[in-house]
Amino acid sequence: MPKEKELVFGHKNPDTDAVSAAIAYSYLQNKLGYNTEAVALGEPNLETKFVYDHFNVKYPRIISAINGEVKKVMLVDHNEEQQSVSDIRDVEVTHVVDHHRIANFETKLPLYYRAEPVGCVSTIIWEMYLEDEIEIPSQIAAIMASSIISDTLLLKSPTTTEVDRDALKSLSETAGIDYESYGLEMLKAGTNLDSKTTQELIDMDAKSFDMNGTNVRVAQVNTVDVNDTLKREDDFVNDIKAENDKNGYGLFVLLITNILTSDTTGIIIGTDDAVAKFETALNTKVSDNKAALPGVVSRKKQVVPPLTEQFD
Amino acid sequence: MPKEKELVFGHKNPDTDAVSAAIAYSYLQNKLGYNTEAVALGEPNLETKFVYDHFNVKYPRIISAINGEVKKVMLVDHNEEQQSVSDIRDVEVTHVVDHHRIANFETKLPLYYRAEPVGCVSTIIWEMYLEDEIEIPSQIAAIMASSIISDTLLLKSPTTTEVDRDALKSLSETAGIDYESYGLEMLKAGTNLDSKTTQELIDMDAKSFDMNGTNVRVAQVNTVDVNDTLKREDDFVNDIKAENDKNGYGLFVLLITNILTSDTTGIIIGTDDAVAKFETALNTKVSDNKAALPGVVSRKKQVVPPLTEQFD
């Protein structure tokens, strides 16, 4: 009897890892006897589009809700329910592979959960392929390597671990790519911000966090020229204010990260109290809605934990 | 520089797996370069005492709170905060190995989390020793095998998986024990209920669950003669009523499980509404505080999930 079908997916506003980890994990699980399909919770961003075009990989089917299609799902690269499909509470989560904190996540039944504090979920899935002695197809190795480059900013983010380095090296060999030159090309492709409206940019890689009752939104864009990006500062500010009003965000943080210098400029808009908490948490000063965040490149490691701590 | 010390422990009211998995995981982590000490959140129960005496293993130091002793901890065999040390929120959880649902658990930072829906945590730790190619000392193999026998009632509980069977076989060989004959002896040692007061019995292997706002307590005792155990029915009822009053439990379920026939008789006391929910969830009738639960042996798989569903 064939196994009951399950969907595998990463978080909303998918980045390269969210989609590629879903594809890689679905392939692995199917080899192990499951019946799964990888799907994505949104359109590809610029970087992901470059990656999938470059390696001629088909982007998965896009869904926003399960709508009764399956009863069971597997999550990669997220666990918090506000980052998942809208009706996640109506299905059973049987597997999770993630590298984030655990929060706003609860199950009725025991499940498979594999988390490691590494730079990229594709790194963990690479370990699982090794443990299960399953060969990684070249195309899947290529999108997994791209995910590690993306999540670790070519191994420069402070989230990078030895295992991420080993995984990127091994996957690049399998895929036949020179990750240094390919990686820079790929990251630059993701910074072509001019083709996007400011509204699209503040939503593209944004995540919501419930911080002790305050709805906090943290978005991030990568660039090679912060001043060029800030030419549209007034538009960013107006769009963020409208988003806060519309969605009840108490705080919106837009991280504009220079991938060449590994620094960030933040646009921070929210209630006075929330902005003050941001200043204390990040040890910076918000002036004219902007804050310098030198050395900050990782939302997950350098922004969300001190901010959560401050709100608690 | 030596690593910062961390404590490793299982849940309150420890059973054989909670303590033995802590010892086995601590030994593994120390081999991998961590600096850990296994501790227990309570005295050994009758079965665990038999096991540790039989294999001449030292029972770990007992603690009830961290009290600032360490900043970081590793959890085995539980994740829900009400089952952990009283000040779990004051420390960072860096690792979890578990086989239960995930609930009432939240971290600020990414962590190592390894959960599998298998019968026993020692089974997962056995897999990790294999993955990391670390040899399991004979005494540790013996207490891990005992944990699997305990959690799966000698592979008869519906929670038992193929991996549990493989693990028990392999660990028994390493420990040099005949798990069939040893296992029965061990389970019987745990059912010597006469030496305990009813107050001790309802607390010995009890766990609390927050079910949609209702504080539900589920305790379990193993026996080879339910009628003999029920000779003290009036004392059980009085003690449970006192516990409910004292701790605000909306529902108390005591499972008296016959390990030879794999059946359970429940003593169920709570608000009318909660008892009615229990009846619906378990498809049984509570009469004179008692309910027949034929074929039920697993709190985790057969009692908590339908009860949680009913309260949601």
Side-chain angles (χ1 to χ4, degrees), chain A residues 102 106-107 112-115, chain B residues 102 106-107 112-115 312:
Chain A
I102 299 179
E106 182 159 325
T107 67
Y112 289 92
Y113 202 110
R114 178 79 173 248
Chain B
I102 298 178
E106 183 160 324
T107 67
Y112 289 92
Y113 201 110
R114 178 78 173 250
D312 269 4

Side-chain angles (χ1 to χ4, degrees), chain B residues 24-312:
Chain B
Y25 191 54
S26 171
Y27 180 90
L28 174 65
Q29 292 296 74
N30 290 349
K31 284 280 171 193
L32 296 173
Y34 287 92
N35 172 17
T36 71
E37 178 193 354
V39 293
L41 304 193
E43 299 283 344
N45 66 25
L46 286 173
E47 180 194 273
T48 310
K49 193 167 177 343
F50 171 87
V51 171
Y52 282 59
D53 287 347
H54 194 273
F55 295 109
N56 198 22
V57 174
K58 192 176 173 310
Y59 193 79
R61 180 162 68 94
I62 296 173
I63 66 164
S64 61
I66 302 297
N67 286 329
E69 185 188 341
V70 293
K71 294 203 185 78
K72 297 180 175 186
V73 301
M74 305 184 181
L75 310 184
V76 296
D77 202 25
H78 74 297
N79 66 84
E80 303 196 37
E81 68 173 51
Q82 74 279 9
Q83 297 168 6
S84 201
V85 285
S86 54
D87 50 0
I88 187 70
R89 279 174 176 261
D90 300 339
V91 292
E92 181 189 344
V93 177
T94 65
H95 294 67
V96 179
V97 189
D98 196 14
H99 66 139
H100 296 91
R101 69 168 189 168
I102 298 178
N104 304 308
F105 181 77
E106 183 160 324
T107 67
K108 290 196 184 69
L109 294 170
L111 74 165
Y112 289 92
Y113 201 110
R114 178 78 173 250
E116 297 180 17
V118 295
C120 181
V121 165
S122 288
T123 298
I124 305 170
I125 295 174
W126 169 76
E127 293 180 292
M128 297 170 91
Y129 271 92
L130 292 187
E131 287 164 12
D132 293 320
E133 297 177 350
I134 304 285
E135 202 178 320
I136 309 179
S138 163
Q139 272 187 319
I140 290 183
I143 59 174
M144 290 170 79
S146 301
S147 299
I148 299 173
I149 293 164
S150 169
D151 271 17
T152 66
L153 290 179
L154 241 178
L155 306 176
K156 279 196 288 191
S157 162
T159 57
T160 312
T161 66
E162 275 313 303
V163 197
D164 295 302
R165 289 176 204 282
D166 292 345
L168 178 54
K169 208 176 149 207
S170 162
L171 290 164
S172 298
E173 277 166 21
T174 306
I177 54 175
D178 172 349
Y179 68 77
E180 290 283 0
S181 60
Y182 164 73
L184 208 57
E185 193 187 352
M186 184 200 107
L187 288 176
K188 278 186 182 162
T191 66
N192 179 13
L193 306 183
D194 294 343
S195 67
K196 300 271 181 188
T197 66
T198 49
Q199 178 62 47
E200 286 168 333
L201 291 174
I202 64 168
D203 191 50
M204 203 167 64
D205 178 24
K207 289 184 182 172
S208 294
F209 301 88
D210 173 10
M211 296 192 185
N212 203 11
T214 301
N215 195 348
V216 176
R217 185 84 164 167
V218 187
Q220 185 165 28
V221 294
N222 290 339
T223 180
V224 288
D225 185 344
V226 173
N227 287 333
D228 184 58
T229 308
L230 283 177
K231 279 183 187 152
R232 292 191 279 172
E233 184 181 338
D234 290 348
D235 292 339
F236 279 123
V237 168
N238 289 334
D239 289 341
I240 289 173
K241 283 181 176 164
E243 282 288 298
N244 285 2
D245 287 347
K246 185 173 144 206
N247 302 294
Y249 301 136
L251 182 67
F252 197 116
V253 176
L254 170 66
L255 306 167
I256 302 169
T257 299
N258 186 327
I259 59 165
L260 302 180
T261 63
S262 300
D263 290 319
T264 289
T265 298
I267 296 183
I268 292 92
I269 297 173
T271 63
D272 289 350
D273 179 54
V275 171
K277 284 196 167 71
F278 177 88
E279 289 181 319
T280 309
L282 275 294
N283 193 22
T284 186
K285 190 85 198 129
V286 177
S287 161
D288 204 13
N289 302 317
K290 290 201 303 296
L293 298 164
V296 169
V297 296
S298 169
R299 166 172 53 194
K300 188 178 70 168
K301 192 144 183 166
Q302 297 172 294
V303 177
V304 171
L307 209 49
T308 307
E309 178 96 24
Q310 202 58 40
F311 274 90
D312 269 4

Side-chain angles (χ1 to χ4, degrees), chain A residues 193-210:
Chain A
L193 306 183
D194 294 343
S195 67
K196 299 271 180 188
T197 66
T198 50
Q199 177 63 48
E200 286 168 334
L201 291 174
I202 64 168
D203 191 49
M204 204 167 62
D205 180 23
K207 288 184 184 174
S208 295
F209 301 88
D210 173 10

